[in-house]
Amino acid sequence: MTRLLRAFGYEEIKTGKTSGARMAFFNKESGHIIHLHKPYPQNTLRRHQLDFLEEELKAKGMLG
């Protein structure tokens, strides 16, 4: 997920030790932020997370 978002120009926002399971990715060009939860207990994204990412990237015109 991190590599995919980097390919679209997003960088992970480091919010410190208190961020816990939350992650945020910021695109400097568009100013868009995507908020996600880290997959747990496995390092595998769930279907709803993939659907959310797809919707967010389509909304910003990054996917067809």
Side-chain angles (χ1 to χ4, degrees), residues 1-15 22-36 53 57 62:
M1 170 184 58
T2 302
R3 284 186 218 156
L4 173 71
L5 289 173
R6 281 188 193 144
F8 284 103
Y10 287 84
E11 296 179 19
E12 185 176 354
I13 299 171
K14 303 291 185 183
T15 56
R22 295 173 302 195
M23 299 176 77
F25 295 88
F26 177 67
N27 184 302
K28 289 181 184 178
E29 189 175 312
S30 67
H32 185 236
I33 298 174
I34 295 177
H35 296 277
L36 297 167
L53 281 174
L57 293 174
M62 295 179 181

Side-chain angles (χ1 to χ4, degrees), residues 10-60:
Y10 287 84
E11 296 179 19
E12 185 176 354
I13 299 171
K14 303 291 185 183
T15 56
K17 294 181 181 181
T18 60
S19 66
R22 295 173 302 195
M23 299 176 77
F25 295 88
F26 177 67
N27 184 302
K28 289 181 184 178
E29 189 175 312
S30 67
H32 185 236
I33 298 174
I34 295 177
H35 296 277
L36 297 167
H37 281 86
K38 292 179 186 176
Y40 179 84
Q42 299 167 335
N43 198 17
T44 305
L45 292 175
R46 295 194 172 117
R47 182 77 232 168
H48 72 276
Q49 291 172 305
L50 293 172
D51 291 341
F52 173 75
L53 281 174
E54 182 180 11
E55 289 175 19
E56 288 290 306
L57 293 174
K58 280 183 178 180
K60 289 298 175 185

